[in-house]
Amino acid sequence: FCPVAVRRSGKETIKNMQPMIQVQNVSFSYKGDDEECVQILQDFNLEIQQGSFVAVLGHNGSGKSTLARLLNALYQPDAGRVLVNGLDTSDEEQVFAVRRSVGLVFQNPDNQLVASIVEEDVAFGPENLGIAPDEMYEYRTHETHKLSGGQKQRIAIAGILAMQPDCIVFDEPTAMLDPRGRKEVMDIILKLNR
C-alpha cells in the first residue's frame, strides 16, 4: 500500500494527481529449467494512487511476487514500463530514488534480514541511503536468528519504515506466520495505512 494521504477539511482524501505507481503494458518472463522462456506477465497495466490500499490476488505462480519486484526495480520488464512518482524503474540513474519511494517487504523475512543483531538490521537500509535512524526496535540487541517469524517480519517492516518510503509493497508478509503472528503483522499494516 501507499500510505500517504492529504488532509482537507478534516477528512483524508487521496491526492488527485498522477498515480504514484503506473505499470504500462508490462511483460515479464523467466527462463525455465530447460532454458525456455516462461511468460509471467503479459501486457499488464495497473495504476495505484497515493494513499490507497491495494491487494493483488492470484494463485501461486501468477506473478504477484514478480510484480512486487518490478515496482521496486529489483526486476526490469521485458516490455512496457513501470513508473514510480514519474520515475522509470528501468533508468539506472533513478534506481535508488525508486527504491527509496517503494519499500518492499518480502514474504520470507529470512531473505531480507542481513545482520545478526536487530539494531544493525533495522539500520542497514537507512545507512545505505545515508540516513541516521533516530529510533530502534525494543529488541535492538537481540540476535535476529533467535526471533519468532512474526518478530522477524516486524524487523523487516521496521527496516523498510526506517528508510521512510512513500509506499510499501508487502509480498505475502503473513504467509509463513502462525495465526497470532499473522494478526500482529496485519494490525501493523492496517495501522500504517491509516
Side-chain angles (χ1 to χ4, degrees), residues 8-79:
R8 289 193 188 138
S9 307
K11 291 182 176 178
E12 289 197 330
T13 60
I14 295 173
K15 286 185 179 180
N16 219 356
M17 341 180 335
Q18 164 182 312
M20 180 178 186
I21 294 175
Q22 295 174 292
V23 179
Q24 302 171 337
N25 302 311
V26 165
S27 294
F28 187 87
S29 59
Y30 291 104
K31 284 198 178 182
D33 293 335
D34 57 0
E35 293 298 313
E36 189 172 317
C37 284
V38 178
Q39 189 82 42
I40 301 298
L41 298 174
Q42 185 173 0
D43 295 321
F44 184 77
N45 291 284
L46 174 69
E47 289 188 351
I48 300 175
Q49 294 291 335
Q50 196 169 24
S52 59
F53 191 104
V54 176
V56 177
L57 305 174
H59 59 80
N60 288 342
S62 64
K64 301 179 304 292
S65 295
T66 299
L67 176 61
R69 286 166 171 79
L70 285 163
L71 298 179
N72 184 259
L74 288 175
Y75 292 168
Q76 298 303 317
D78 297 334

Side-chain angles (χ1 to χ4, degrees), residues 77-89:
D78 297 334
R81 58 190 205 153
V82 178
L83 302 174
V84 173
N85 288 329
L87 302 174
D88 192 326
T89 61

Side-chain angles (χ1 to χ4, degrees), residues 73-137:
L74 288 175
Y75 292 168
Q76 298 303 317
D78 297 334
R81 58 190 205 153
V82 178
L83 302 174
V84 173
N85 288 329
L87 302 174
D88 192 326
T89 61
S90 64
D91 182 347
E92 289 182 22
E93 294 180 13
Q94 301 298 329
V95 168
F96 289 115
V98 167
R99 289 184 183 156
R100 184 170 184 154
S101 289
V102 178
L104 177 58
V105 177
F106 295 115
Q107 174 180 351
N108 183 347
D110 287 325
N111 294 338
Q112 191 154 4
L113 301 179
V114 296
S116 59
I117 304 295
V118 171
E119 181 175 42
E120 294 169 3
D121 198 88
V122 173
F124 177 78
E127 285 172 357
N128 283 312
L129 294 175
I131 299 169
D134 296 335
E135 295 181 23
M136 291 293 163
Y137 194 77

Side-chain angles (χ1 to χ4, degrees), residues 161-181:
L161 287 174
M163 292 189 292
Q164 302 174 346
D166 297 323
C167 177
I168 302 173
V169 175
F170 294 91
D171 184 10
E172 298 187 52
T174 63
M176 301 181 74
L177 303 179
D178 61 22
R180 181 177 174 198

